[in-house]
Amino acid sequence: MAIKKATIQQQVAEALAQANPADRPLVTIQAVAGPSVWLMSMLGLIGQLFLTYYFVTVTEQAVVIHKADRLTNRPNEIVYALPPAQVAGAIGDIRRNTLWSSFRFRLPGQAQPTRMNVHRQWRDEMDHLLTLLTGTNPAPGAPGAAVPGPRV
């Protein structure tokens, strides 16, 4: 089971190289999609059923979203490969908090935006990813402050 961030990033890069050898990852984050991670943790195993684990990667050519395997924490199949221009308008409601930050991501085919929860260990990468995709840097805001933007 991959726990170290560098190991996870390497595994995602290898999975991307298998899918498209000409593409190179710029930044990768691990995100937990679903309701509040805190609330789902309180519900135990039942709460975990409501969460989906993803790796979101910005590459030179696309934004690639892998599903993460729950047992091994390795990238599974590619769920979405989107052009960066399409993603820019699909991200909003960025919130930086002490332990879990979040942003809303309107995924193709979904009626409502998906809440992507990002752990503190991935915050620098989240800031970089959001800067690349939206052109705004969420880092200057104080922890817990919402970054202005459309609620998608």
Side-chain angles (χ1 to χ4, degrees):
M1 175 185 229
I3 296 174
K4 285 185 168 182
K5 187 174 10 175
T7 305
I8 291 170
Q9 290 169 328
Q10 180 181 357
Q11 290 172 350
V12 172
E14 289 168 1
L16 287 169
Q18 288 177 352
N20 184 358
D23 206 359
R24 185 176 68 89
L26 301 176
V27 63
T28 298
I29 65 169
Q30 185 173 28
V32 182
S36 167
V37 178
W38 295 107
L39 176 62
M40 295 300 106
S41 294
M42 286 188 266
L43 294 175
L45 290 175
I46 293 172
Q48 291 299 308
L49 296 174
F50 292 99
L51 300 175
T52 307
Y53 294 79
Y54 290 112
F55 296 112
V56 182
T57 304
V58 176
T59 70
E60 293 174 335
Q61 300 174 5
V63 177
V64 181
I65 303 173
H66 283 94
K67 246 187 176 170
D69 187 284
R70 286 179 181 257
L71 297 176
T72 63
N73 203 31
R74 292 174 77 70
N76 273 348
E77 77 274 3
I78 294 175
V79 184
Y80 302 101
L82 308 167
Q86 178 184 345
V87 174
I91 292 176
D93 195 22
I94 301 166
R95 297 177 187 265
R96 294 181 88 244
N97 293 305
T98 306
L99 187 59
W100 286 97
S101 299
S102 67
F103 60 93
R104 305 278 177 171
F105 194 164
R106 185 178 299 278
L107 297 170
Q110 302 291 324
Q112 296 292 323
T114 301
R115 178 179 168 155
M116 295 287 192
N117 301 291
V118 181
H119 191 271
R120 173 178 54 206
Q121 82 178 47
W122 294 94
R123 185 176 299 138
D124 291 342
E125 288 81 3
M126 181 191 81
D127 290 343
H128 185 195
L129 180 133
L130 293 174
T131 299
L132 288 172
L133 295 177
T134 66
T136 59
N137 186 356
V147 175
R151 184 171 175 112
V152 293

